[in-house]
Amino acid sequence: MAARASLSKTFVWIILALLILGLAGFGATNLSGTIRTVGHVGDKYIDVEDYARSLQQEIRAIEAETGQALPFDQALALGVDRAVLSRLVTARALDNEAAQLGLSIGDENLREQIVQIPAFSGVDGQFDREGYRFLLEQRGMTEARFEESIRDESARTLVQAAIVTGVEMPETFIETLMTYVGQRRSFTWTTLDRNNLETPLASASESQITQHYEQNIDRFTLPETKQITYAMLTPDMILDQVEVDEEALRQLYEERANEYDQPERRLVERLVFATDADASAAMAALEVSGTTFEALVEERGLALADVDLGDVTGQDLGAAGDTVFAAEVGDVVGPAPSPLGPALFRVNGVLPAVNTSFEDARPDLQEELAADRARRVIEAEAQSIDDMLAGGATLEEVAAETDMELGQIDWFDSIGEGIAAYNDFNEAAIALSADDFPQITGLEDGGMFAMRLDAVLPPRPAPLEDVRRDVIADWENNQLLTQLRAQAKAVLPELERGAGFGDVALDAVVETDLIRSAFVPGTPPDFMTQVFDMEIGDVAIVDSEQAVLIVRLDGINPPDDSVEMNALRDGLGQQMDQAVAQDLFQVFARDVQLRANPTIDQRAINAVHANFQ
C-alpha cells in the first residue's frame, strides 16, 4: 500500500504541475457560451476547457521541440487534435472505471495534497487559503471542479498502479534471453583463398561465359531506369565568364590576413603548479630523478589532453614566450610564468611562420570570388529561366538561349555518376513522373537544373557485351569457390576425428569464449550466426566472398558472471517487466473504453477549434 500511495502521490504531483502550467498559459483560447463538454465517457464528461487547454499545451510542446511555430491548420493535418482527444478519452474512461469500482480519496488526503502544492503557498511558505481561491478564480476554475480533478486523478492512479504494479516476467524467459545474448563459443578456424589453390584456375571459354550469363541472368539485370533529359548550370561552368576586379581580390586578401600572414608557432603542453617551489621540484625530478613529463601529469590526476595548449605564438605565452620558443622539440622548460601560476612547458612541434604574398594567394582568391559571383549569377538567372519553362519553353530551347547545358541520363537509384552525384538531383529523379513539367531546382553547390522524364524502362537483362567483364569475374569466382570447397571437404574427415589443423597442413586461429555479437576480422557478416548453429565437434565450411573458411566448434559455455552481464540481465528483466505491464495496461484501457461507450460532440470540437483559428 505504501508503494501505491507513493506512486499515486507522484502521479498527482505531475498532473497538478502540468495543470497549473497549462492554466497559466491558457486564456488566448477562452471559450464562452453554453458549450461545456466535448463528449461523455460513461458517467464522466470531457470538459471543453480541458480539451482546449490540452490541445494548446500539445501545440506548444511541439513548437518547443522543433523551434518553429506550428499553425493550427498544420496541427490538425498532423493529427494533434485526434491524439489529444484520444488521451482525454482514455483518462476519463479510467476515471469512470474508478468510480464504478468505488475508488476515491478522503477529504483528509485531498486537503493534504492541496496544501502541499507550492503554487498555493503564501510568503511564509504555508498554505494560503485566500491565495488558493484567488488563483483558481483567475484561471476560471472553481474550487469544486479543481478538487474533483484531484480526486479523479488520484483514483485513476490507483487503478493504473493496480494493473502495472508487480508484473514480472518468468525467470525462465530472462534466462532464455541471456542464453541467446551471452552464451559463448570457443572454436578453431582457418581460411582457404586463391593462394591455397592446388591447381590454377582455367580460363573461361566463350560457351562457358554465355552459359554462366544465361544461368545467372538475375545478377546481370538492370533495375527500372528513368530516361531523363535535363538542363543544368553550375558555378564551375561559367567561371571563365565571371570577372573579378583587383580591388575585390585585395580586399579579400586583407580580410584573410590572419590566414596568409601567421607568425611562427609551437605545439605546446603546459603543466601548472601552485607555487614556484612545486614547479622547481618537478623540474628537478625531470632532470635528476629521470621521471617523465607524462608521469608528472599523471601524478596531478590529469591527462595529456588536459594540459595541451595546441599551437600557440610567443605572444600567446606572454612572459614564458621567449623561454618556450628557445627550446627544441621534445624539451621541457621552466618553471616559467603563466596566467594560472608557475608552469612547466613541453614543446611537441614547430610550425614555421606563414607569409603568403598577395600574388601567391591570388589564384585561390580568384577561384573563391569567381565561384561566389558565379553562384550569384545563377541565382539571378534562375527566376527568368523558370519563367521560360513555365511559358512553355522546352529544355532544348532553354539550353540554346541560356548558359544551361543539355544532357541525358539513364537514371536508376544509386547510379551516383555525373549529375546523379548530386543528392538534390536524385531526390527529384525519384519523384519525377511523366506528368511533371520541367522547373528550376537548386543544387547544393549553388547550381541549378531542370528535368524531363522521357521514358521508364522496366527491369531488363543487360546486354552480354556490356557486362562481359563482370560475367567473367563472377564465373572465375564461382570456380575459385568450387575448387576451395573441394579442398576443404578433403580434410573434413580428419578434422572431425579430432586431428589438429596443423596435422592437415593448415594454419589456424583459435577463438575463445566469443558471444553471438562478436566480430571476427576476415569472416563474412553471418559467420558467428553459423558458428552458433553448430554443436561441439562439428566442422563446417563457410563461404566468404573470395575464400572459404573451415571452422570447428570446440566448446559451448554459458554467459559469464561479469558485472556487465549481470547488469544486462537486470536491465533485460526490467525492460521486459515494463513492456508486459504496459501491454496489460493498454488492453485494460481499451476494455474500459469499450465498456464506457465514449460519445464525442463534433460541434463542440469545432467550436474549440474555431477559437484557435
Side-chain angles (χ1 to χ4, degrees), residues 498-516:
F501 278 67
D503 297 333
V504 292
L506 294 175
D507 296 327
V509 179
V510 177
E511 307 287 358
T512 304
D513 287 342
L514 297 186
I515 61 174
R516 187 183 298 269

Side-chain angles (χ1 to χ4, degrees), residues 364-377:
D364 292 338
L365 297 173
Q366 173 84 24
E367 182 178 350
E368 181 177 345
L369 276 181
D372 182 63
R373 296 194 176 182
R375 285 190 289 269
R376 295 183 184 181
V377 169

Side-chain angles (χ1 to χ4, degrees), residues 175-194:
E175 289 303 321
T176 301
L177 285 179
M178 285 304 302
T179 297
Y180 181 85
V181 173
Q183 196 176 61
R184 297 167 291 166
R185 295 290 190 272
S186 296
F187 54 91
T188 306
W189 67 283
T190 190
T191 301
L192 298 180
D193 57 22
R194 188 179 294 268

Side-chain angles (χ1 to χ4, degrees), residues 21 115 127 150 197 199 228 236 271 274 307 332 388 451 481 515 519 608:
L21 289 173
V115 299
F127 176 72
I150 295 180
L197 283 176
T199 58
I228 298 173
D236 289 343
L271 184 59
V307 300
V332 178
M388 291 176 61
M451 58 166 57
L481 294 179
I515 61 174
F519 171 71
V608 175

Side-chain angles (χ1 to χ4, degrees), residues 47-278:
D47 188 88
V48 66
E49 296 283 352
D50 289 341
Y51 173 67
R53 186 185 309 108
S54 298
L55 188 56
Q56 190 175 64
Q57 288 174 346
E58 185 69 15
I59 292 174
R60 288 183 175 179
I62 295 174
E63 291 176 335
E65 182 177 350
T66 62
Q68 297 179 345
L70 180 65
F72 188 67
D73 56 347
Q74 187 175 348
L76 293 180
L78 293 173
V80 173
D81 58 322
R82 296 188 295 275
V84 168
L85 187 59
S86 176
R87 288 198 296 268
L88 290 175
V89 168
T90 298
R92 296 307 273 166
L94 292 172
D95 293 342
N96 182 70
E97 184 71 9
Q100 297 292 327
L101 295 172
L103 297 176
S104 185
I105 60 172
D107 293 341
E108 188 63 28
N109 286 333
L110 176 64
R111 178 184 180 282
E112 181 180 350
Q113 291 184 16
I114 292 176
V115 299
Q116 290 181 4
I117 298 176
F120 301 143
S121 298
V123 294
D124 59 354
Q126 301 298 313
F127 176 72
D128 184 348
R129 186 69 179 77
E130 291 303 317
Y132 168 62
R133 180 183 296 108
F134 176 76
L135 182 60
L136 292 181
E137 288 178 354
Q138 287 294 104
R139 306 305 180 223
M141 180 176 282
T142 65
E143 293 181 36
R145 179 181 165 199
F146 179 67
E147 291 167 6
E148 180 186 1
S149 69
I150 295 180
R151 291 183 190 274
D152 286 342
E153 176 58 33
S154 298
R156 187 191 316 150
T157 304
L158 289 173
V159 173
Q160 291 173 328
I163 299 299
V164 303
T165 302
V167 176
E168 293 185 7
M169 289 296 291
E171 187 65 23
T172 302
F173 180 79
I174 303 302
E175 289 303 321
T176 301
L177 285 179
M178 285 304 302
T179 297
Y180 181 85
V181 173
Q183 196 176 61
R184 297 167 291 166
R185 295 290 190 272
S186 296
F187 54 91
T188 306
W189 67 283
T190 190
T191 301
L192 298 180
D193 57 22
R194 188 179 294 268
N195 296 324
N196 300 104
L197 283 176
E198 296 175 350
T199 58
L201 290 176
S203 298
S205 66
E206 191 62 33
S207 61
Q208 288 173 322
I209 293 173
T210 302
Q211 184 180 23
H212 186 75
Y213 168 76
E214 293 174 348
Q215 291 178 348
N216 300 277
I217 195 65
D218 57 313
R219 301 185 193 178
F220 310 109
T221 296
L222 298 174
E224 181 180 85
T225 303
K226 293 182 177 180
Q227 291 187 322
I228 298 173
T229 297
Y230 63 88
M232 70 177 299
L233 182 62
T234 66
D236 289 343
M237 293 165 58
I238 58 172
L239 284 181
D240 57 346
Q241 303 177 27
V242 176
E243 295 183 2
V244 179
D245 58 79
E246 187 76 8
E247 182 179 350
L249 289 173
R250 291 192 177 276
Q251 181 179 351
L252 182 58
Y253 177 77
E254 294 298 329
E255 293 174 358
R256 302 281 178 82
N258 292 336
E259 177 182 338
Y260 293 120
D261 188 9
Q262 297 180 357
E264 187 177 354
R265 290 159 294 157
R266 295 287 188 275
L267 300 176
V268 177
E269 292 167 327
R270 180 187 66 190
L271 184 59
V272 180
F273 294 87
T275 65
D276 286 322
D278 292 339

